Amino acid sequence: MFCRLKTVLLFLLSIPGAFAQQRWQLGPGVGNGIVWHVTHNQPHSDHIELSGEQLATVLRYGVRQDGTFALERSLVWPLLRTIPNDTHGSFMQRSALDLPALITVNGTPLKHERVETIAINGLLNVVSQYHVQHASTPTVQVSRTVFPSMVHPVLCEAYSLVNFSAHPMVVSIPDLRMDSHAPADRGVDGTYVVATRTGNAGVFRVAPGDSLSFSLSIQAHRATEPPLAVDVGAELAGRDRFLQTISSALVLETPDPLIDELFRFSKIRASESIFKTKGGYMHGPGGEAYYAAIWANDQAEYVNPMFPYIGYSIGNQSAMNSFAHFGRFMNPEFKPIPSSIIAEGTDIWNGAGDRGDAAMIGYGAARYALANGNLEDATTLWPLIEWCLAYCKRQLNAQGVVASDSDELEGRFPAGDANLTTSCLYYDALLSAYYLGGHLQIPARQLRQYKQEATALRRAIERHFGSSMHGFETYRYYAGNDLLRSWIAMPLTVGIYDRVEGTVQALFSDRLWSENGLLTQEGSTTYWDRSTLYALRGAFAGGATEKALLYLQHYAKTRLTGQHVPYPIEAWPEGNQRHLSAESGLYVRIITEGLFGIRPTGLRSFALSPRLPADWPTMELSAIKAFGGELGVKVARVADKLEVTVSNKGKLIHTSQIKPGDTINVSVGE
């Protein structure tokens, strides 16, 4: 035991930042979010994004040196379009209004604020204490809960003021009714009005120990329309229902509460950022930049394959809608499908040329159709999948791999004429189409052809990309590439394990790994979470379970309890670590596809290759809504084997004991 602990300690010391400061801690009980217990003279600031169907907000919040709370709300209304009506044409405004500073108690303002706690659990909650007049100890506590409406273009803030003194207080809540008008020539629909209102304003007598509730709302509307009457209490109840719906589906239970809680948080972020546009539900990355629009990578490739497992109806609607939008651009000449469809579906962006978008879309649509388990939806998606495969086949170069103008990084880093990612996605799409086509009465000859093309492509990937890089038997990212790249993990995520050992060693070497995950390219300082999340998934899938677990634990600790919380992020330095939403879907897929090794093989079937870490007696996924069922998968260690049980709607449908690393095939049944 001592030798094992010593080995683990030495390994952790090799991870940059493995013992970095934790600012946050898990809340009490399961599923209660994270809490920062603020100590005096500990200034810190951060930002978090939250979304609903008609509003997204980035809250820039923190605690100043003097212990007071700071908040600036960046508000985005994706359905109020601005000129030019392009990718970034969402109406935006910022507000730094401090409502507690406008409250008076016994005729004097609240003073000497001290923030006690800040908590995050799908909304932002702040508890502060204040002094009134000449009191030597705090006599008033104010809590505020900030969140977006799930269905209206409104940011809501629910407040509660508690009298801690021994005497009654006279509390005055200001009646704010402020409107600001944007210039008419800025809006597609003319003038937009930002309306700020307080709720339950007035003068109140608050007895010792009693509390007073009031609210603040900020909304935007067209000048030709009246503002909404906002019931903040009802909006909070709606937000709570959403959080409960997401939290109670696809539930992860492991011995590591940080991994579990980041999994739950990631489901929330991935599912909330869906906007009800005139072009239907559209999942949006966010980040004060990307709304009412879809991308072949973020939506089709990253997050859509996750939604069937959660069973979130709006998520599934957004997935089908995104594929329908991409399908509009199929053409007999096989010109590229646009990388992005923007402005509520009314325009496109294709500024980076062909990024391998057809491979992204075909991969995502086929994986989604299989896991979704719905024959009608699969039939609808088949023509798009078929077209994408045909397009990619036409892009095969003389080496037998897929040519493209760039990759999902759109020229930020070199990708050559043909990159590893695009060919791996096409490979997986061919296999998924082979599995799916059997349900759709596709000719057997065509499906055999897909299988043969996948086999040939796998060989071509090895010949063209397989390489010794700095002594690691791994992959080059493109012809002529001599620097390690984080996307060398791609083959592992699609079941190509020919170079798993060297690839895992390269990924977690000091050439690529940093305190914040994988560097995009060795020697750079840039990191994008998406490739780190792919790498963790691939390392688990490839059987490097113990190493992958240590890095996953570090990642979960950093993202959930470190200095910038509580979700996976986009990148650094670009975007200042924005909480783009599809990356959270990729974290979920580390667990479903990596740790549990779920690979769809039919509308009602999947392969299961669980990777139970050595120190974990059990792990479990329950309320899995995929494959037309409601599944539970439990893996437990029994001597030197793994006992795997699978249930559907509470009924046992499979049980077996397997060796670690083995794969079983599960049929859900009709």
Side-chain angles (χ1 to χ4, degrees):
M1 173 64 82
F2 175 76
C3 291
R4 174 171 171 75
L5 289 173
K6 183 178 179 181
T7 300
V8 171
L9 179 60
L10 290 173
F11 184 74
L12 285 172
L13 288 171
S14 73
I15 303 176
F19 298 101
Q21 179 187 7
Q22 285 183 266
R23 183 173 299 277
W24 299 77
Q25 59 185 269
L26 294 179
V30 177
N32 283 324
I34 56 173
V35 180
W36 171 21
H37 295 279
V38 180
T39 58
H40 300 328
N41 302 318
Q42 191 184 44
H44 175 66
S45 60
D46 200 1
H47 54 91
I48 179 176
E49 182 158 5
L50 305 96
S51 306
E53 290 184 6
Q54 296 192 55
L55 171 80
T57 182
V58 174
L59 303 176
R60 291 176 172 83
Y61 68 94
V63 178
R64 303 183 183 94
Q65 182 71 46
D66 62 0
T68 59
F69 183 64
L71 175 65
E72 181 182 87
R73 313 157 187 85
S74 183
L75 302 158
V76 184
W77 289 277
L79 310 191
L80 298 179
R81 308 303 300 168
T82 58
I83 298 172
N85 189 8
D86 58 14
T87 300
H88 308 294
S90 299
F91 180 54
M92 299 173 150
Q93 186 158 313
R94 293 197 180 193
S95 171
L97 176 67
D98 183 7
L99 181 56
L102 304 178
I103 296 171
T104 62
V105 175
N106 297 336
T108 65
L110 295 174
K111 292 182 179 180
H112 307 300
E113 179 186 13
R114 290 289 184 182
V115 179
E116 296 294 311
T117 60
I118 300 178
I120 299 174
N121 194 11
L123 29 74
L124 182 72
N125 178 263
V126 183
V127 177
S128 297
Q129 293 188 347
Y130 295 82
H131 292 250
V132 175
Q133 294 176 327
H134 303 293
S136 59
T137 59
T139 53
V140 170
Q141 177 179 284
V142 175
S143 65
R144 70 189 94 190
T145 301
V146 187
F147 60 97
S149 165
M150 291 308 300
V151 295
H152 296 128
V154 184
L155 179 71
C156 301
E157 301 183 14
Y159 289 81
S160 177
L161 182 150
V162 180
N163 178 3
F164 278 158
S165 74
H167 307 285
M169 291 179 173
V170 177
V171 180
S172 177
I173 308 297
D175 186 8
L176 296 182
R177 294 182 173 273
M178 301 187 301
D179 290 342
S180 63
H181 295 71
D185 60 0
R186 181 183 168 196
V188 169
D189 298 319
T191 298
Y192 299 140
V193 181
V194 178
T196 303
R197 304 284 189 270
T198 48
N200 198 33
V203 178
F204 304 88
R205 183 180 176 86
V206 182
D210 282 357
S211 63
L212 172 65
S213 297
F214 52 98
S215 64
L216 178 73
S217 66
I218 306 175
Q219 63 176 286
H221 60 90
R222 296 169 182 85
T224 56
E225 301 169 344
L228 296 171
V230 180
D231 182 338
V232 170
E235 297 298 339
L236 180 56
R239 180 74 177 179
D240 285 342
R241 285 193 298 272
F242 163 77
L243 296 174
Q244 178 58 31
T245 295
I246 300 303
S247 296
S248 61
L250 191 65
V251 178
L252 175 66
E253 295 179 77
T254 77
D256 192 312
L258 284 177
I259 291 174
D260 295 357
E261 191 68 348
L262 185 55
F263 184 80
R264 188 177 71 88
F265 270 59
S266 295
K267 290 186 298 173
I268 292 169
R269 180 69 193 127
S271 299
E272 70 176 352
S273 190
I274 300 174
F275 304 96
K276 194 174 184 179
T277 77
K278 66 182 180 183
Y281 280 115
M282 301 181 82
H283 186 279
E288 298 177 275
Y290 309 113
Y291 302 93
I294 54 171
W295 279 258
N297 55 329
D298 292 72
Q299 281 66 54
E301 178 192 342
Y302 300 168
V303 78
N304 285 357
M306 179 208 74
F307 281 123
Y309 293 86
I310 296 178
Y312 182 46
S313 62
I314 291 175
N316 283 320
Q317 289 178 61
S318 76
M320 288 297 293
N321 187 50
S322 70
F323 292 130
H325 276 294
F326 286 122
R328 291 163 38 205
F329 294 90
M330 293 186 291
N331 60 88
E333 299 82 18
F334 286 94
K335 296 177 182 178
I337 291 179
S339 301
S340 177
I341 297 168
I342 65 172
E344 300 187 87
T346 63
D347 202 351
I348 67 168
W349 178 85
N350 206 26
D354 175 12
R355 309 176 310 155
D357 300 288
M360 300 173 188
I361 295 165
Y363 163 92
R367 283 241 175 188
Y368 175 85
L370 286 167
N372 189 39
N374 183 289
L375 181 60
E376 182 179 352
D377 288 347
T379 302
T380 299
L381 291 174
W382 181 259
L384 176 62
I385 296 167
E386 195 173 40
W387 189 93
C388 288
L389 296 180
Y391 177 90
C392 290
K393 185 175 181 179
R394 282 167 169 77
Q395 301 303 309
L396 293 176
N397 63 16
Q399 290 74 41
V401 295
V402 187
S404 61
D405 298 323
S406 61
D407 65 357
E408 56 89 33
L409 286 181
E410 299 167 359
R412 294 172 176 86
F413 286 81
D417 298 326
N419 65 77
L420 179 63
T421 296
T422 300
S423 288
C424 287
L425 293 174
Y426 176 41
Y427 169 78
D428 194 271
L430 285 166
L431 293 181
S432 291
Y434 170 78
Y435 292 132
L436 181 62
H439 295 275
L440 305 179
Q441 300 181 336
I442 304 303
R445 183 170 176 271
Q446 181 178 343
L447 299 183
R448 285 196 302 271
Q449 183 69 25
Y450 287 155
K451 190 72 175 292
Q452 292 165 6
E453 290 170 359
T455 300
L457 179 58
R458 178 169 178 164
R459 294 195 192 104
I461 288 171
E462 172 60 27
R463 285 194 308 269
H464 186 68
F465 296 109
S467 180
S468 180
M469 304 277 285
H470 305 301
F472 300 111
E473 293 304 315
T474 183
Y475 300 93
R476 60 181 183 176
Y477 191 57
Y478 58 91
N481 168 223
D482 59 0
L483 295 172
L484 285 172
R485 295 286 290 273
S486 58
W487 286 106
I488 58 175
M490 282 302 300
L492 308 184
T493 68
V494 299
I496 300 176
Y497 305 130
D498 303 332
R499 293 172 174 266
V500 60
E501 183 176 353
T503 299
V504 169
Q505 289 175 351
L507 287 167
F508 299 123
S509 72
D510 58 7
R511 290 181 177 272
L512 280 179
W513 185 263
S514 74
E515 179 179 353
N516 279 287
L518 290 175
L519 299 174
T520 299
Q521 178 174 282
E522 66 168 304
S524 74
T525 57
T526 300
Y527 55 87
W528 291 66
D529 260 21
R530 55 192 66 176
S531 56
T532 298
L533 297 164
Y534 263 92
L536 290 169
R537 188 207 316 173
F540 277 116
T545 306
E546 305 310 316
K547 180 170 282 191
L549 177 64
L550 287 169
Y551 284 92
L552 176 62
Q553 289 172 326
H554 167 70
Y555 179 87
K557 176 182 176 182
T558 300
R559 290 288 177 266
L560 193 60
T561 65
Q563 303 306 304
H564 178 43
V565 299
Y567 303 122
I569 57 96
E570 179 203 26
W572 174 265
E574 181 173 326
N576 192 27
Q577 301 187 79
R578 295 179 288 202
H579 285 142
L580 297 197
S581 59
E583 278 77 355
S584 284
L586 291 177
Y587 181 87
V588 172
R589 294 176 65 188
I590 293 173
I591 305 303
T592 55
E593 299 173 31
L595 190 62
F596 282 81
I598 298 173
R599 204 297 177 202
T601 57
L603 297 179
R604 294 289 187 276
S605 64
F606 57 94
L608 187 63
S609 307
R611 304 292 186 179
L612 184 66
D615 288 341
W616 289 7
T618 64
M619 63 182 187
E620 185 172 3
L621 270 178
S622 58
I624 306 168
K625 305 301 179 72
F627 308 106
E630 183 162 341
L631 308 172
V633 177
K634 184 173 183 179
V635 184
R637 192 173 309 283
V638 179
D640 61 345
K641 293 188 175 181
L642 303 181
E643 183 176 74
V644 181
T645 58
V646 183
S647 62
N648 183 20
K649 299 177 182 177
K651 181 180 178 181
L652 184 67
I653 61 172
H654 178 93
T655 182
S656 61
Q657 287 193 4
I658 63 173
K659 296 178 182 178
D662 283 355
T663 297
I664 59 176
N665 295 300
V666 178
S667 176
V668 176
E670 297 301 324

